[in-house]
């Protein structure tokens, strides 16, 4: 799949990217995290969630008992939107087949959507993240989905930290049903 993605020109985000930020972690993970889009650090290093938001995600993962190598982490779009603008609907649409294929290959049992774009894309809804977070959805018959705030939103607003922690506790409890400690 990486080879298929190399040199992708399906949307305008191709123009200013340095790297296609594919995904990282355990290719057979039971839990997959899906964020929004690569930022400047991710674009430079070719890896998702390596900047400030990534460091916060690592801390939340560790507090919930996960290591980065135990889970799989990717984004809705694989190339950095210029100036960290929001990805546009046509860009999300263009990149969606790659995300769906990643899910097909990794076959997680749980997906956690981080932030509005991931939640709206995976749930096919226009509802805001505050409305959809904090509960379980059957994404399909084999995969459960939970949504929470993006770590970068927690960096901007500390009020999000508590609901995020509650969502991660739900996630961990569900994961422990699949893989008891
Ligand atoms: S964001 Fe996705 S669809 Fe657009 S150029 Fe990058 S890899 Fe291709």
């Amino acid at each position: 799949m990486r080879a298929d993605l190399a040199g992708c020109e399906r949307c305008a985000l191709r123009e200013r990217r340095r790297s296609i930020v594919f995904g990282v972690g355990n290719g057979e993970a039971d839990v997959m995290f899906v964020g929004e889009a690569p930022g400047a650090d991710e674009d430079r290093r070719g890896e998702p969630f390596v900047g400030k938001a990534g460091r916060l995600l690592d801390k939340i993962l560790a507090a919930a008992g996960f290591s980065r190598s135990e889970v799989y982490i990717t984004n809705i779009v694989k190339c950095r939107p210029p100036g960290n603008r929001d990805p546009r609907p046509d860009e999300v649409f263009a990149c969606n087949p790659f995300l769906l294929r990643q899910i097909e290959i990794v076959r997680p049992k749980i997906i956690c959507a981080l932030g509005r774009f991931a939640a709206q894309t995976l749930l096919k809804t226009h509802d805001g993240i505050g409305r959809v977070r904090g509960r379980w959805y059957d994404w399909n018959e084999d995969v459960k989905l939970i949504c929470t705030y993006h770590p970068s939103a927690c960096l901007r607003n500390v009020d999000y930290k508590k609901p995020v922690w509650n969502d991660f506790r739900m996630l961990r409890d569900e994961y422990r049903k699949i893989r008891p400690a």
Side-chain angles (χ1 to χ4, degrees), residues 6 8 27 29 47 58 82 86 89 95 107 109 115 124 127 132-133 135 144 147 150 152 155 162 166 172 176:
C8 176
E47 190 176 321
D58 286 346
D86 292 342
C95 213
R107 296 177 64 197
K109 296 191 173 59
K124 296 189 173 71
D127 287 346
V132 297
R133 60 151 286 274
R135 55 193 157 111
K144 297 188 97 177
C147 308
H150 195 281
S152 61
L155 291 171
K162 194 168 175 206
N166 289 339
R172 180 191 55 195
R176 286 294 164 226

Side-chain angles (χ1 to χ4, degrees), residues 127-164:
D127 287 346
I129 184 69
R131 186 180 280 263
V132 297
R133 60 151 286 274
R135 55 193 157 111
W136 286 107
Y137 300 85
D138 290 323
W139 190 68
N140 66 25
E141 59 186 19
D142 300 316
V143 183
K144 297 188 97 177
L145 171 72
I146 192 167
C147 308
T148 193
Y149 294 106
H150 195 281
S152 61
C154 296
L155 291 171
R156 290 192 298 270
N157 185 345
V158 290
D159 290 348
Y160 291 150
K161 285 193 176 172
K162 194 168 175 206
V164 165

Side-chain angles (χ1 to χ4, degrees), residues 11-13 15 76-77 81-82 85-95 117 121:
C11 82
L13 296 182
E15 285 161 14
I76 289 290
V77 295
R85 68 160 168 77
D86 292 342
R88 293 193 311 241
D90 58 310
E91 294 158 352
V92 173
F93 181 79
C95 213
F117 285 94
T121 303

Side-chain angles (χ1 to χ4, degrees), residues 9-106:
E9 302 205 329
R10 284 174 62 112
C11 82
L13 296 182
R14 68 183 176 270
E15 285 161 14
R16 290 170 61 186
R17 71 171 178 228
R18 284 195 200 173
S19 357
I20 295 178
V21 182
F22 184 73
V24 71
N26 181 347
E28 296 183 351
D30 288 324
V31 185
M32 179 185 271
F33 291 89
V34 182
E36 182 180 316
D41 293 325
E42 289 77 13
D43 184 43
R44 227 177 351 258
R45 288 180 46 187
E47 190 176 321
F49 284 94
V50 290
K52 264 188 183 174
R55 286 193 290 278
L56 179 57
L57 177 64
D58 286 346
K59 277 188 194 166
I60 304 169
L61 284 174
F66 294 105
S67 66
R68 200 179 241 251
S69 58
E70 190 179 2
V71 302
Y72 193 83
I73 304 172
T74 189
N75 282 308
I76 289 290
V77 295
K78 314 300 185 209
C79 303
R80 182 189 179 207
N84 288 343
R85 68 160 168 77
D86 292 342
R88 293 193 311 241
D90 58 310
E91 294 158 352
V92 173
F93 181 79
C95 213
N96 198 239
F98 297 122
L99 175 65
L100 295 181
R101 206 155 145 230
Q102 275 177 311
I103 295 172
E104 223 176 84
I105 292 168
V106 177

